[in-house]
């Protein structure tokens, strides 16, 4: 299986000036755990995850004042659609993160998450009725 088979092609993108509250609201509305932060004038492509928002709130920072750029990971490992799912899983395990931005020709084409890989590797089970012994 390839990353293109597992990745979500609906990518939430935000700018570096979005507040953490705005980012969290967008992530919640789209039911995603990460947003791609596009900063063409600065660091380029980064990622803001639900964990980044949670860490900020846990430190007592104001989500209406904190900007995405201050919490964005810019040292990002990128995947390509042609990576194997095993390569993506190994990169996530090695780096200790749960989301990979997938680039195609230098542009974000999707995101693959640990959850996406699990869905491929462990298809939903069909419950069978238990027969009394």
């Amino acid at each position: 299986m390839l990353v293109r088979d597992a990745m979500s092609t609906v990518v939430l993108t935000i700018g570096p000036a979005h507040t953490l509250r705005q980012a969290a609201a967008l992530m919640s509305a789209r039911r995603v755990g990460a947003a791609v932060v596009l900063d063409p004038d600065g660091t380029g492509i980064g990622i803001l995850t639900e964990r980044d928002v949670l860490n900020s709130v846990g430190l007592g920072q104001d989500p209406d004042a904190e900007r995405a750029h201050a919490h964005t990971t810019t040292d990002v490992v990128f995947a390509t659609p042609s990576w194997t799912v095993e390569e993506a899983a190994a990169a996530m395990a090695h780096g200790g993160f749960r989301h990979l931005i997938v680039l195609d020709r230098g542009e974000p084409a999707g995101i693959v998450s640990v959850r996406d890989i699990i869905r491929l590797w462990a298809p939903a089970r069909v419950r069978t009725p238990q027969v009394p012994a």
Side-chain angles (χ1 to χ4, degrees):
M1 278 284 168
L2 299 178
V3 164
R4 74 171 46 95
D5 302 317
M7 71 183 194
S8 170
T9 57
V10 178
V11 180
L12 172 61
T13 58
I14 63 172
H18 276 78
T19 67
L20 291 188
R21 184 175 308 280
Q22 291 170 323
L26 291 168
M27 287 190 278
S28 178
R30 302 232 180 128
R31 300 179 51 91
V32 297
V36 174
V37 181
L38 298 179
D39 187 1
D41 299 326
T43 58
I45 300 172
I47 191 165
L48 179 76
T49 67
E50 58 198 355
R51 183 175 297 171
D52 298 322
V53 175
L54 183 64
N55 287 340
S56 175
V57 171
L59 290 171
Q61 296 174 334
D62 180 358
D64 291 313
E66 291 296 312
R67 302 292 173 178
H69 70 83
H71 302 277
T72 298
T73 300
T74 55
D75 184 20
V76 180
V77 175
F78 297 103
T80 68
S82 61
W83 275 23
T84 66
V85 173
E86 290 80 6
E87 288 173 305
M92 287 185 223
H94 178 74
F97 46 83
R98 299 178 305 186
H99 300 88
L100 275 171
I101 299 172
V102 182
L103 294 184
D104 191 10
R105 297 183 191 105
E107 296 295 320
I111 290 186
V112 65
S113 70
V114 170
R115 181 177 291 153
D116 297 326
I117 292 171
I118 290 171
R119 283 186 186 132
L120 277 182
W121 286 349
R125 290 188 203 171
V126 177
R127 291 192 99 182
T128 57
Q130 295 292 330
V131 178

